Amino acid sequence: DSECLRLSLCARQSWDIRDYAAAAASALTAAGLAGDGNAPLTWWNMTFLAAHALLRDGNHSAAVTTLESLLAHPLTTGSDALALRAHQVMAAGMLALGHLPEAISHATTAVELGAGDSPEEFSAYLMALQTLIGALTEAGQLDDAWTHCLTLADSVSPDTPPQIAGEIHWVIGNVAFIRNEIRTGLEHHGKAARLLSPSADLSRWAQFNKATAWVRLKSGVVEPDTLHAIERSELAYSVVGATAAENLEVELLRARWNFLNGDVAKALELLSTIDAQTDQLPPHIAGDTVLLLGDTLRASGRLDEARDAYVQAQELYTVAGACDRAIVAKENLDLL
């Protein structure tokens, strides 16, 4: 019992200092001891913490495997509150892996379980709703995503903590940009930028700046604020540390910025480096990389290589379930 308690405390301390690999290792060992000692609630909490830490550390497959055991446990199946939390994190894991239909399914289950009565349940519900919106958006189901955005917007009140309100405006702005409602997207991301605090959570601040730069560039918003978001993301990740996938995604932002500003050679240089590492990206992001590579190769007059890139992008999008983007890749291919 004392060793299990020590490891539990070590796991939480490692989480607090963002040493997610150590947090996962300590939590899994503590969960094993709790299981042997017939302490199911401690087992559940440590297994959940381990899965969450593995996800934050970029070890998405291990996180999903851990969550599978959590979802099958009688404590989870017998409690809506625990099932909500487990399905919410599983949805995030599936989204990180690029398994969009599975992410939508788990997030939908979590949302349907409801907001609950406790602050923890309400927070998990909001995160599940945000993950559902993100997965629907990636899958091209923009009308459904926007419907859920309206629900999310209704949850904001004067009592909503600034960090949570900022994340809500972040998600709504993402969908607005992709729906080509640029003014609405700028409005919500402007609110998010004012509400989100780097001192409260520097990692989430880095992710927000990466996300706002991404949707701005996808919408063709090439202006100083977009470049500043890229630079803020790079700076924040240099402080908190980034997974391999996050580093590649930020490099992809730079490549898209260069391409849209006419520096095709620099964009191609960056994309060639990223393309060699696409196995570290979820398939829909890998598809974005190869699609942009195809555009850059076409602009460079290298049409045969561009054709190969578009074929690969179409395949990656199809694997991910991003059917609308698979169509875009096919349309680009047909233009050659």
Side-chain angles (χ1 to χ4, degrees):
D1 287 347
S2 61
E3 180 62 6
C4 183
L5 176 60
R6 185 188 70 81
L7 287 165
S8 299
L9 294 173
C10 286
R12 296 190 186 284
Q13 183 180 42
S14 295
W15 173 272
D16 288 342
I17 64 173
R18 296 192 176 92
D19 187 350
Y20 298 121
S26 295
L28 285 171
T29 306
L33 292 173
D36 294 340
N38 195 27
L41 189 57
T42 300
W43 177 90
W44 199 98
N45 286 325
M46 286 296 101
T47 303
F48 181 80
L49 177 59
H52 210 172
L54 288 165
L55 193 61
R56 283 289 190 98
D57 196 45
N59 197 347
H60 304 134
S61 295
V64 164
T65 300
T66 303
L67 285 159
E68 286 171 349
S69 67
L70 201 67
L71 285 168
H73 195 274
L75 276 179
T76 309
T77 57
S79 167
D80 286 351
L82 296 183
L84 165 62
R85 293 169 64 195
H87 278 289
Q88 179 265 308
V89 179
M90 178 64 98
M94 288 297 184
L95 181 57
L97 286 171
H99 298 170
L100 303 182
E102 292 88 348
I104 291 169
S105 175
H106 283 286
T108 299
T109 298
V111 168
E112 289 175 347
L113 286 167
D117 300 320
S118 70
E120 292 80 6
E121 289 174 70
F122 184 63
S123 177
Y125 167 78
L126 288 180
M127 288 300 298
L129 195 51
Q130 292 175 51
T131 304
L132 177 58
I133 291 167
L136 288 168
T137 302
E138 294 287 0
Q141 300 177 39
L142 297 182
D143 289 341
D144 289 341
W146 190 248
T147 298
H148 288 296
C149 280
L150 298 178
T151 302
L152 198 58
D154 288 341
S155 70
V156 179
S157 73
D159 297 327
T160 304
Q163 192 73 13
I164 293 176
E167 295 207 6
I168 288 172
H169 285 295
W170 166 6
V171 171
I172 297 171
N174 284 354
V175 181
F177 271 114
I178 295 171
R179 282 165 58 91
N180 212 29
E181 297 176 10
I182 308 301
R183 180 177 295 179
T184 302
L186 289 170
E187 177 186 342
H188 282 285
H189 274 196
K191 290 179 180 178
R194 291 189 293 273
L195 290 164
L196 294 172
S197 168
S199 60
D201 191 333
L202 186 56
S203 179
R204 291 298 283 168
W205 194 70
Q207 292 167 9
F208 165 68
N209 280 285
K210 175 164 65 75
T212 190
W214 179 255
V215 291
R216 283 166 175 264
L217 291 173
K218 289 274 283 185
S219 301
V221 182
V222 182
E223 57 182 32
D225 282 348
T226 303
L227 180 58
H228 294 158
I230 297 173
E231 292 169 342
R232 285 192 295 268
S233 180
E234 291 170 337
L235 178 61
Y237 277 126
S238 73
V239 175
V240 300
T243 65
E246 286 168 337
N247 279 324
L248 291 173
E249 289 170 6
V250 174
E251 289 184 13
L252 182 56
L253 288 177
R254 278 285 181 182
R256 191 177 293 278
W257 171 266
N258 288 328
F259 176 72
L260 292 175
N261 281 280
D263 192 346
V264 175
K266 184 61 177 177
L268 190 56
E269 179 184 340
L270 284 169
L271 287 166
S272 298
T273 301
I274 302 167
D275 186 47
Q277 303 173 70
T278 50
D279 59 331
Q280 299 189 59
L281 293 169
H284 60 292
I285 303 299
D288 288 340
T289 301
V290 184
L291 183 66
L292 181 58
L293 178 60
D295 292 342
T296 309
L297 289 166
R298 184 173 64 181
S300 303
R302 297 160 60 176
L303 301 186
D304 289 341
E305 293 171 88
R307 185 176 292 106
D308 292 340
Y310 289 140
V311 169
Q312 186 183 357
Q314 185 180 5
E315 292 171 351
L316 287 164
Y317 286 141
T318 301
V319 166
C323 299
D324 62 324
R325 282 187 273 183
I327 292 171
V328 171
K330 178 65 166 59
E331 289 172 347
N332 285 353
L333 185 61
D334 292 342
L335 292 175
L336 295 176

